Amino acid sequence: MATEAEGPSPSKTLNMSSSVSILQSTTSSLVPSSWLYWDVLPSEWDIFWLSTALKLLLFPAYRSTDFEVHRNWLAITHSLPISKWYYDTTSEWTLDYPPFFAYFEKLMSIPASFIDPKIVDLNNLNYGAWSVIAYQRTTVILTELVLGAALLKFIKGSVDPSIQRIISGSIFLHPGFLIVDHIHFQYNGFMYGILLWSVLFARNGHKLASGIFFAILLNFKHIYMYLAPAYFVYLLRSFCLSPTGQIQVKNFLSLANAVIAVFVVSLGPFALMGQIPQLLSRLFPFTRGLNHAYWAPNFWALVTAADRIFLKYVQVTGTKWAINEAGVASSSRGLVGDTVFAVLPNIKPVHTFVITIVFQLIWLVKLWRNPSYKSFLTALTLSGWTSFLFGWHVHEKAVLLILIPLSLLAAERHAYFRTFVLASVAGIFSLFPLIFTPAESVIKVIYSVIWIAAVYLPLSRRVYEYPKSIIYVVMDTLEKVYLAGFPALMLFVAVFPLARSQSSPNQVPSSNASNLSTDGFSGPEPRHDMGQSTAGTSAMEFLPLMATSIYCAIGLVWSFMRLGFIYLQEETKYQGQLSEIK
């Protein structure tokens, strides 16, 4: 008989080995073996530690009202029963995100209550102690690791890891996240991490997991509905239908049941309490005007600016034209209410809905015909872009819905790369007005310039193509001129307020300190006076913001047209090649 000192018998060793082998084979069938370990290179650790150090240094930086919004949500979910979460009005910053985000806040409120009970005190409004600043800033950094993990996995499975490493690094270090999350204060890095996990699953052929993760994301933040049409078409065409168009019953039921299960977990408790109407009223308040108080750089910003120009022309020339007196100041006063045009016909929500659907159908038809991963990623980007450009009351922070998925296409070829550069410069600059304090303004500019240079130089060497025709030469030149205009715009934005204050020394400048709460569909907003004289406020105070919005809108609209043309052209080539094969 074998003793303990002699070790296990050969038969026991064999049984143990068999058990381990069975366990390993079962695990590998559910999760690819490459996903079970993390091989992080020293350069990747360097990026992580440097970015973390910068974010830690930004703890004392300016923070917007969104900081108090999320502190209040910690208090709501910690102090109140779930039945009162979407009814509480103790603060003006009421809970208006989907249930998964409310559960997320509830989870974060637990350690917060131990660190400092005042953080989760419902009546302790505008609490600004160092404990809450450090805690909430830290949660942004930690939850952003979801994004970092997804980006590492993008590198490991890519065709060209060196290129993907540049793209992954550019996303993790994106100025949009630094400005919106680590200064202004939000959790976009965490939620875009979930989105990129979903996209990564799609790239690797795990389409059921991709659909589940996107359903989870929708229940964290409903603004991602902008991307839902592309997901619906892609998963239906590539996962639920065979190449010949026959329905794959097993796949369809698996996807449908999984998505339904996610929504049941999210909405189920509120459905049982009969609170779905109340929850929807918080998520979708349709009382906002066409434009956000600070115009998002989209198509409607250009239309609103055109209305201002036409109005000025009519007033100066005395041309007989029917002018809507209610719109003389409305579209430029920076209020949350309806935008009323003075000369052009007014835009209603149904108009924006129809225009958005029409444009999205163009991309979705092409995606249906070619449900490949690249086609899906491009259609996904264009779907978000369409909603941003033509949607009703779009917030400027929603530009990240364009910039993040577009980054994954940056190295496809030069046409994609130039589109990425134009959209990135315009989109990042459009976020600059969110940060207006002197020290942080210097940081946002220097950081963004370094980021653009660090991304542009290595990628341009890989994908650059010399213009092949006179049309492309002209287009290339005009695009370079447009990009060269941003330093001049930056100088104007910086100098104009100083010039105005010197010319009007007794003027009391208004503050943007409340500067925007939650992005997406809801949340209280500030007032920016845009051309309307009030006591102590310059009639031209909004001009730098308006100039920024319009100039960035030109770049984003042109880039949208650019990517749409590229997508349709490539899809046409694909269909031609497919016909030849048949």
Side-chain angles (χ1 to χ4, degrees):
M1 181 179 294
T3 63
E4 290 183 5
E6 294 170 336
S9 66
S11 61
K12 289 183 179 180
T13 303
L14 180 61
N15 290 337
M16 291 172 61
S17 301
S18 300
S19 300
V20 171
S21 299
I22 293 172
L23 180 60
Q24 289 177 340
S25 62
T26 303
T27 304
S28 62
S29 65
L30 294 174
V31 181
S33 59
S34 61
W35 293 57
L36 299 178
Y37 65 90
W38 300 88
D39 183 18
V40 184
L41 298 179
S43 60
E44 294 164 351
W45 277 117
D46 291 342
I47 290 175
F48 170 74
W49 290 119
L50 286 172
S51 66
T52 301
L54 176 60
K55 294 163 189 175
L56 291 173
L57 291 173
L58 288 173
F59 272 22
Y62 158 80
R63 57 190 186 277
S64 74
T65 51
D66 276 354
F67 188 88
E68 170 61 16
V69 169
H70 288 281
R71 189 216 59 82
N72 187 59
W73 292 359
L74 291 174
I76 289 174
T77 55
H78 184 83
S79 305
L80 298 177
I82 189 173
S83 60
K84 296 183 179 180
W85 286 1
Y86 287 95
Y87 284 92
D88 178 73
T89 56
T90 305
S91 166
E92 61 179 315
W93 313 118
T94 54
L95 181 60
D96 53 21
Y97 272 22
F100 273 1
F101 202 91
Y103 303 154
F104 172 69
E105 294 279 4
K106 172 67 176 179
L107 183 64
M108 291 195 300
S109 74
I110 297 173
S113 64
F114 289 102
I115 294 172
D116 183 356
K118 293 181 180 180
I119 296 176
V120 292
D121 183 346
L122 191 60
N123 297 306
N124 191 23
L125 303 181
N126 299 310
Y127 185 50
W130 179 247
S131 58
V132 66
I133 294 172
Y135 178 72
Q136 291 200 171
R137 295 284 196 193
T138 300
T139 60
V140 174
I141 295 175
L142 292 178
T143 56
E144 199 176 48
L145 294 177
V146 174
L147 173 67
L151 293 171
L152 283 175
K153 287 301 181 184
F154 265 102
I155 297 171
K156 305 309 175 188
S158 64
V159 176
D160 188 343
S162 61
I163 286 289
Q164 184 59 52
R165 186 168 288 107
I166 297 171
I167 294 173
S168 290
S170 73
I171 295 175
F172 190 73
L173 300 172
H174 202 283
F177 292 140
L178 187 82
I179 293 170
V180 179
D181 285 7
H182 299 285
I183 300 178
H184 185 273
F185 193 84
Q186 281 191 2
Y187 290 92
N188 287 286
F190 166 61
M191 284 180 285
Y192 278 97
I194 300 174
L195 174 64
L196 289 186
W197 273 109
S198 177
V199 173
L200 179 63
F201 281 126
R203 188 196 74 173
N204 293 344
H206 308 299
K207 295 172 185 176
L208 177 59
S210 177
I212 293 172
F213 267 65
F214 184 69
I216 292 172
L217 180 62
L218 284 177
N219 284 277
F220 268 98
K221 194 170 184 178
H222 47 313
I223 195 174
Y224 293 98
M225 288 192 306
Y226 291 166
L227 308 179
Y231 265 96
F232 176 79
V233 170
Y234 174 67
L235 292 176
L236 177 63
R237 183 68 179 87
S238 65
F239 184 68
C240 299
L241 298 179
S242 68
T244 59
Q246 295 179 332
I247 187 169
Q248 304 283 340
V249 178
K250 181 181 178 181
N251 288 352
F252 177 80
L253 292 178
S254 297
L255 181 61
N257 289 334
V259 171
I260 291 172
V262 170
F263 277 85
V264 167
V265 173
S266 173
L267 303 175
F270 301 96
L272 293 174
M273 294 183 291
Q275 293 187 7
I276 296 298
Q278 171 64 18
L279 192 152
L280 293 178
S281 70
R282 285 286 183 87
L283 300 184
F284 303 99
F286 294 106
T287 57
R288 302 298 171 88
L290 173 66
N291 291 323
H292 185 247
Y294 152 44
W295 306 345
N298 62 6
F299 179 75
W300 303 121
L302 300 180
V303 173
T304 308
D307 182 72
R308 297 292 91 191
I309 294 172
F310 290 147
L311 174 61
K312 193 67 176 178
Y313 174 80
V314 171
Q315 291 173 336
V316 170
T317 61
T319 304
K320 292 184 179 180
W321 195 283
I323 296 178
N324 184 352
E325 294 298 332
V328 172
S330 173
S331 62
S332 64
R333 67 187 176 184
L335 300 181
V336 174
D338 290 340
T339 298
V340 181
F341 291 154
V343 179
L344 298 177
N346 287 319
I347 304 297
K348 302 297 181 184
V350 65
H351 301 146
T352 64
F353 179 78
V354 171
I355 294 172
T356 301
I357 291 299
V358 168
F359 271 96
Q360 285 198 340
L361 284 175
I362 298 173
W363 325 128
L364 298 179
V365 168
K366 290 300 181 181
L367 177 59
W368 180 270
R369 293 177 178 175
N370 175 24
S372 65
Y373 166 71
K374 181 184 174 184
S375 178
F376 162 64
L377 184 56
T378 311
L380 182 74
T381 305
L382 286 168
S383 291
W385 212 328
T386 300
S387 298
F388 178 83
L389 290 184
F390 303 109
W392 180 265
H393 196 82
V394 174
H395 287 232
E396 68 288 337
K397 286 168 281 188
V399 75
L400 291 174
L401 281 170
I402 302 168
L403 303 184
I404 301 308
L406 181 61
S407 298
L408 297 174
L409 293 166
E412 288 293 326
R413 58 187 178 91
H414 184 259
Y416 285 96
F417 173 69
R418 175 56 70 86
T419 306
F420 162 77
V421 171
L422 290 166
S424 294
V425 173
I428 291 169
F429 198 100
S430 74
L431 295 173
F432 279 8
L434 290 173
I435 309 300
F436 51 86
T437 49
E440 288 78 3
S441 294
V442 173
I443 293 172
K444 73 185 180 186
V445 172
I446 294 176
Y447 184 87
S448 298
V449 170
I450 293 174
W451 180 88
I452 290 171
V455 176
Y456 179 85
L457 294 176
L459 288 184
S460 63
R461 287 195 291 265
R462 298 288 189 104
V463 301
Y464 180 76
E465 297 176 8
Y466 188 80
K468 299 177 181 178
S469 68
I470 187 63
I471 295 178
Y472 287 112
V473 170
V474 172
M475 188 171 69
D476 180 72
T477 302
L478 291 176
E479 289 173 349
K480 289 178 179 177
V481 169
Y482 173 78
L483 291 173
F486 276 98
L489 177 60
M490 189 182 304
L491 182 63
F492 169 75
V493 170
V495 171
F496 182 82
L498 298 177
R500 294 293 299 175
S501 63
Q502 290 179 358
S503 63
S504 305
N506 295 325
Q507 177 184 314
V508 180
S510 65
S511 173
N512 293 342
S514 61
N515 216 11
L516 314 185
S517 64
T518 56
D519 66 351
F521 300 91
S522 54
E525 304 169 46
R527 167 176 177 164
H528 297 292
D529 288 310
M530 314 177 204
Q532 181 178 347
S533 293
T534 57
T537 302
S538 169
M540 301 295 288
E541 181 185 4
F542 184 68
L543 188 57
L545 281 171
M546 186 168 64
T548 298
S549 180
I550 293 171
Y551 197 78
C552 293
I554 293 172
L556 287 169
V557 170
W558 169 248
S559 301
F560 169 76
M561 295 167 58
R562 218 179 185 285
L563 183 63
F565 176 79
I566 295 168
Y567 184 47
L568 296 179
Q569 184 187 47
E570 287 194 344
E571 289 299 299
T572 301
K573 291 180 179 178
Y574 169 82
Q575 292 298 326
Q577 294 170 357
L578 189 61
S579 299
E580 292 177 2
I581 293 173
K582 291 181 179 179

Short mmCIF file of all heavy atoms in Angstrom, two decimals, residues 209-239:
data_model
loop_
_atom_site.label_atom_id
_atom_site.label_comp_id
_atom_site.label_asym_id
_atom_site.label_seq_id
_atom_site.Cartn_x
_atom_site.Cartn_y
_atom_site.Cartn_z
N ALA A 209 -22.08 36.12 -29.07
CA ALA A 209 -21.49 36.93 -27.99
C ALA A 209 -21.51 38.40 -28.36
O ALA A 209 -21.74 39.27 -27.50
CB ALA A 209 -20.06 36.47 -27.71
N SER A 210 -21.28 38.71 -29.64
CA SER A 210 -21.32 40.09 -30.08
C SER A 210 -22.69 40.71 -29.84
O SER A 210 -22.80 41.83 -29.34
CB SER A 210 -20.96 40.17 -31.57
OG SER A 210 -21.05 41.50 -32.05
N GLY A 211 -23.73 39.97 -30.19
CA GLY A 211 -25.09 40.47 -29.98
C GLY A 211 -25.43 40.64 -28.51
O GLY A 211 -26.10 41.61 -28.12
N ILE A 212 -24.98 39.70 -27.69
CA ILE A 212 -25.25 39.79 -26.25
C ILE A 212 -24.58 41.01 -25.64
O ILE A 212 -25.19 41.76 -24.87
CB ILE A 212 -24.77 38.50 -25.54
CG1 ILE A 212 -25.63 37.31 -25.98
CG2 ILE A 212 -24.82 38.67 -24.02
CD1 ILE A 212 -25.12 35.97 -25.48
N PHE A 213 -23.32 41.24 -26.00
CA PHE A 213 -22.60 42.39 -25.45
C PHE A 213 -23.23 43.70 -25.90
O PHE A 213 -23.27 44.67 -25.13
CB PHE A 213 -21.12 42.33 -25.85
CG PHE A 213 -20.27 41.64 -24.83
CD1 PHE A 213 -20.44 40.29 -24.55
CD2 PHE A 213 -19.30 42.33 -24.12
CE1 PHE A 213 -19.67 39.64 -23.60
CE2 PHE A 213 -18.51 41.68 -23.17
CZ PHE A 213 -18.70 40.35 -22.90
N PHE A 214 -23.73 43.75 -27.15
CA PHE A 214 -24.36 44.98 -27.58
C PHE A 214 -25.69 45.20 -26.85
O PHE A 214 -26.03 46.34 -26.51
CB PHE A 214 -24.60 44.98 -29.09
CG PHE A 214 -25.16 46.27 -29.60
CD1 PHE A 214 -24.38 47.42 -29.60
CD2 PHE A 214 -26.46 46.35 -30.06
CE1 PHE A 214 -24.90 48.64 -30.05
CE2 PHE A 214 -26.99 47.55 -30.51
CZ PHE A 214 -26.20 48.70 -30.50
N ALA A 215 -26.42 44.14 -26.59
CA ALA A 215 -27.65 44.27 -25.82
C ALA A 215 -27.35 44.78 -24.41
O ALA A 215 -28.08 45.61 -23.87
CB ALA A 215 -28.38 42.92 -25.76
N ILE A 216 -26.26 44.27 -23.83
CA ILE A 216 -25.84 44.76 -22.51
C ILE A 216 -25.52 46.25 -22.59
O ILE A 216 -25.92 47.04 -21.72
CB ILE A 216 -24.63 43.95 -22.01
CG1 ILE A 216 -25.04 42.50 -21.70
CG2 ILE A 216 -23.99 44.60 -20.79
CD1 ILE A 216 -23.86 41.59 -21.40
N LEU A 217 -24.80 46.64 -23.64
CA LEU A 217 -24.42 48.05 -23.80
C LEU A 217 -25.64 48.95 -23.90
O LEU A 217 -25.68 50.04 -23.31
CB LEU A 217 -23.55 48.19 -25.04
CG LEU A 217 -23.04 49.60 -25.36
CD1 LEU A 217 -22.16 50.14 -24.24
CD2 LEU A 217 -22.29 49.61 -26.69
N LEU A 218 -26.66 48.53 -24.66
CA LEU A 218 -27.88 49.33 -24.79
C LEU A 218 -28.54 49.57 -23.45
O LEU A 218 -29.17 50.61 -23.24
CB LEU A 218 -28.86 48.62 -25.72
CG LEU A 218 -28.58 48.68 -27.22
CD1 LEU A 218 -29.61 47.86 -27.98
CD2 LEU A 218 -28.56 50.11 -27.72
N ASN A 219 -28.39 48.63 -22.55
CA ASN A 219 -29.01 48.77 -21.23
C ASN A 219 -28.11 49.51 -20.25
O ASN A 219 -28.49 49.72 -19.10
CB ASN A 219 -29.39 47.40 -20.68
CG ASN A 219 -30.64 46.86 -21.34
OD1 ASN A 219 -31.74 47.19 -20.94
ND2 ASN A 219 -30.47 46.02 -22.36
N PHE A 220 -26.91 49.89 -20.71
CA PHE A 220 -26.08 50.81 -19.95
C PHE A 220 -26.34 52.26 -20.37
O PHE A 220 -26.42 53.15 -19.54
CB PHE A 220 -24.59 50.49 -20.13
CG PHE A 220 -24.04 49.56 -19.11
CD1 PHE A 220 -23.92 48.21 -19.37
CD2 PHE A 220 -23.63 50.03 -17.87
CE1 PHE A 220 -23.40 47.34 -18.42
CE2 PHE A 220 -23.11 49.18 -16.91
CZ PHE A 220 -23.00 47.83 -17.18
N LYS A 221 -26.46 52.45 -21.69
CA LYS A 221 -26.66 53.81 -22.19
C LYS A 221 -27.40 53.74 -23.52
O LYS A 221 -26.92 53.13 -24.48
CB LYS A 221 -25.31 54.53 -22.35
CG LYS A 221 -25.44 56.02 -22.54
CD LYS A 221 -24.07 56.69 -22.45
CE LYS A 221 -24.17 58.20 -22.53
NZ LYS A 221 -22.87 58.87 -22.40
N HIS A 222 -28.54 54.38 -23.58
CA HIS A 222 -29.43 54.23 -24.72
C HIS A 222 -28.99 55.01 -25.94
O HIS A 222 -29.57 54.83 -27.02
CB HIS A 222 -30.85 54.60 -24.34
CG HIS A 222 -30.99 55.88 -23.57
ND1 HIS A 222 -30.21 56.20 -22.49
CD2 HIS A 222 -31.84 56.94 -23.72
CE1 HIS A 222 -30.56 57.37 -22.01
NE2 HIS A 222 -31.53 57.84 -22.73
N ILE A 223 -27.98 55.85 -25.84
CA ILE A 223 -27.50 56.56 -27.03
C ILE A 223 -26.93 55.59 -28.06
O ILE A 223 -26.87 55.90 -29.25
CB ILE A 223 -26.45 57.62 -26.64
CG1 ILE A 223 -26.23 58.60 -27.80
CG2 ILE A 223 -25.14 56.96 -26.24
CD1 ILE A 223 -25.33 59.76 -27.46
N TYR A 224 -26.53 54.40 -27.63
CA TYR A 224 -25.98 53.43 -28.56
C TYR A 224 -27.04 52.82 -29.47
O TYR A 224 -26.71 52.01 -30.34
CB TYR A 224 -25.23 52.33 -27.78
CG TYR A 224 -24.00 52.87 -27.10
CD1 TYR A 224 -24.02 53.21 -25.75
CD2 TYR A 224 -22.83 53.08 -27.80
CE1 TYR A 224 -22.90 53.74 -25.12
CE2 TYR A 224 -21.70 53.60 -27.19
CZ TYR A 224 -21.74 53.93 -25.85
OH TYR A 224 -20.63 54.46 -25.24
N MET A 225 -28.29 53.24 -29.30
CA MET A 225 -29.32 52.87 -30.27
C MET A 225 -28.98 53.38 -31.65
O MET A 225 -29.47 52.86 -32.66
CB MET A 225 -30.68 53.41 -29.84
CG MET A 225 -31.29 52.71 -28.65
SD MET A 225 -33.01 53.14 -28.41
CE MET A 225 -32.91 54.92 -28.38
N TYR A 226 -28.16 54.43 -31.72
CA TYR A 226 -27.72 54.94 -33.02
C TYR A 226 -27.03 53.85 -33.84
O TYR A 226 -27.04 53.90 -35.07
CB TYR A 226 -26.72 56.10 -32.82
CG TYR A 226 -27.30 57.38 -32.26
CD1 TYR A 226 -26.46 58.38 -31.78
CD2 TYR A 226 -28.67 57.59 -32.19
CE1 TYR A 226 -26.97 59.57 -31.28
CE2 TYR A 226 -29.19 58.77 -31.68
CZ TYR A 226 -28.33 59.75 -31.22
OH TYR A 226 -28.84 60.93 -30.72
N LEU A 227 -26.42 52.89 -33.15
CA LEU A 227 -25.68 51.83 -33.83
C LEU A 227 -26.52 50.57 -34.03
O LEU A 227 -26.09 49.65 -34.74
CB LEU A 227 -24.43 51.46 -33.01
CG LEU A 227 -23.50 52.61 -32.60
CD1 LEU A 227 -22.34 52.06 -31.77
CD2 LEU A 227 -22.98 53.36 -33.82
N ALA A 228 -27.68 50.52 -33.42
CA ALA A 228 -28.49 49.30 -33.42
C ALA A 228 -28.90 48.83 -34.82
O ALA A 228 -28.90 47.62 -35.07
CB ALA A 228 -29.73 49.51 -32.55
N PRO A 229 -29.27 49.71 -35.76
CA PRO A 229 -29.65 49.21 -37.09
C PRO A 229 -28.56 48.38 -37.76
O PRO A 229 -28.85 47.34 -38.38
CB PRO A 229 -29.95 50.49 -37.88
CG PRO A 229 -30.36 51.48 -36.84
CD PRO A 229 -29.50 51.17 -35.66
N ALA A 230 -27.31 48.81 -37.64
CA ALA A 230 -26.22 48.06 -38.25
C ALA A 230 -26.06 46.69 -37.59
O ALA A 230 -25.82 45.68 -38.27
CB ALA A 230 -24.91 48.85 -38.16
N TYR A 231 -26.18 46.65 -36.27
CA TYR A 231 -26.11 45.37 -35.57
C TYR A 231 -27.24 44.44 -35.99
O TYR A 231 -27.05 43.24 -36.21
CB TYR A 231 -26.16 45.60 -34.05
CG TYR A 231 -24.81 45.67 -33.40
CD1 TYR A 231 -24.20 46.89 -33.16
CD2 TYR A 231 -24.13 44.52 -33.03
CE1 TYR A 231 -22.95 46.97 -32.56
CE2 TYR A 231 -22.88 44.58 -32.42
CZ TYR A 231 -22.30 45.81 -32.20
OH TYR A 231 -21.06 45.87 -31.61
N PHE A 232 -28.44 44.99 -36.08
CA PHE A 232 -29.61 44.17 -36.43
C PHE A 232 -29.43 43.51 -37.80
O PHE A 232 -29.62 42.30 -37.96
CB PHE A 232 -30.87 45.05 -36.43
CG PHE A 232 -32.11 44.33 -36.86
CD1 PHE A 232 -32.78 43.48 -35.99
CD2 PHE A 232 -32.60 44.48 -38.16
CE1 PHE A 232 -33.92 42.81 -36.39
CE2 PHE A 232 -33.74 43.81 -38.57
CZ PHE A 232 -34.40 42.97 -37.68
N VAL A 233 -29.04 44.31 -38.79
CA VAL A 233 -28.88 43.77 -40.15
C VAL A 233 -27.73 42.78 -40.21
O VAL A 233 -27.85 41.70 -40.80
CB VAL A 233 -28.67 44.93 -41.15
CG1 VAL A 233 -28.26 44.39 -42.52
CG2 VAL A 233 -29.93 45.76 -41.26
N TYR A 234 -26.62 43.11 -39.57
CA TYR A 234 -25.45 42.25 -39.64
C TYR A 234 -25.71 40.89 -38.99
O TYR A 234 -25.41 39.83 -39.58
CB TYR A 234 -24.27 42.93 -38.96
CG TYR A 234 -23.04 42.07 -38.84
CD1 TYR A 234 -22.32 41.68 -39.97
CD2 TYR A 234 -22.58 41.63 -37.60
CE1 TYR A 234 -21.18 40.89 -39.87
CE2 TYR A 234 -21.44 40.85 -37.49
CZ TYR A 234 -20.75 40.48 -38.63
OH TYR A 234 -19.64 39.68 -38.53
N LEU A 235 -26.26 40.89 -37.80
CA LEU A 235 -26.49 39.63 -37.09
C LEU A 235 -27.59 38.82 -37.76
O LEU A 235 -27.52 37.58 -37.82
CB LEU A 235 -26.84 39.90 -35.63
CG LEU A 235 -25.69 40.49 -34.79
CD1 LEU A 235 -26.17 40.81 -33.38
CD2 LEU A 235 -24.51 39.52 -34.73
N LEU A 236 -28.61 39.50 -38.26
CA LEU A 236 -29.69 38.78 -38.94
C LEU A 236 -29.16 38.13 -40.21
O LEU A 236 -29.44 36.94 -40.47
CB LEU A 236 -30.83 39.74 -39.27
CG LEU A 236 -32.01 39.15 -40.05
CD1 LEU A 236 -32.71 38.06 -39.23
CD2 LEU A 236 -33.00 40.25 -40.44
N ARG A 237 -28.40 38.88 -40.98
CA ARG A 237 -27.94 38.37 -42.28
C ARG A 237 -26.83 37.35 -42.15
O ARG A 237 -26.81 36.35 -42.88
CB ARG A 237 -27.45 39.56 -43.12
CG ARG A 237 -27.01 39.17 -44.53
CD ARG A 237 -28.20 38.71 -45.36
NE ARG A 237 -27.78 38.36 -46.72
CZ ARG A 237 -27.34 37.16 -47.07
NH1 ARG A 237 -27.23 36.18 -46.17
NH2 ARG A 237 -27.00 36.91 -48.32
N SER A 238 -25.89 37.56 -41.23
CA SER A 238 -24.71 36.69 -41.17
C SER A 238 -24.84 35.56 -40.16
O SER A 238 -24.12 34.56 -40.27
CB SER A 238 -23.47 37.51 -40.84
OG SER A 238 -23.56 38.06 -39.53
N PHE A 239 -25.72 35.70 -39.17
CA PHE A 239 -25.83 34.69 -38.13
C PHE A 239 -27.15 33.92 -38.18
O PHE A 239 -27.17 32.71 -37.96
CB PHE A 239 -25.68 35.35 -36.76
CG PHE A 239 -25.68 34.39 -35.60
CD1 PHE A 239 -24.62 33.51 -35.41
CD2 PHE A 239 -26.72 34.36 -34.69
CE1 PHE A 239 -24.62 32.61 -34.34
CE2 PHE A 239 -26.73 33.48 -33.63
CZ PHE A 239 -25.67 32.60 -33.45
#
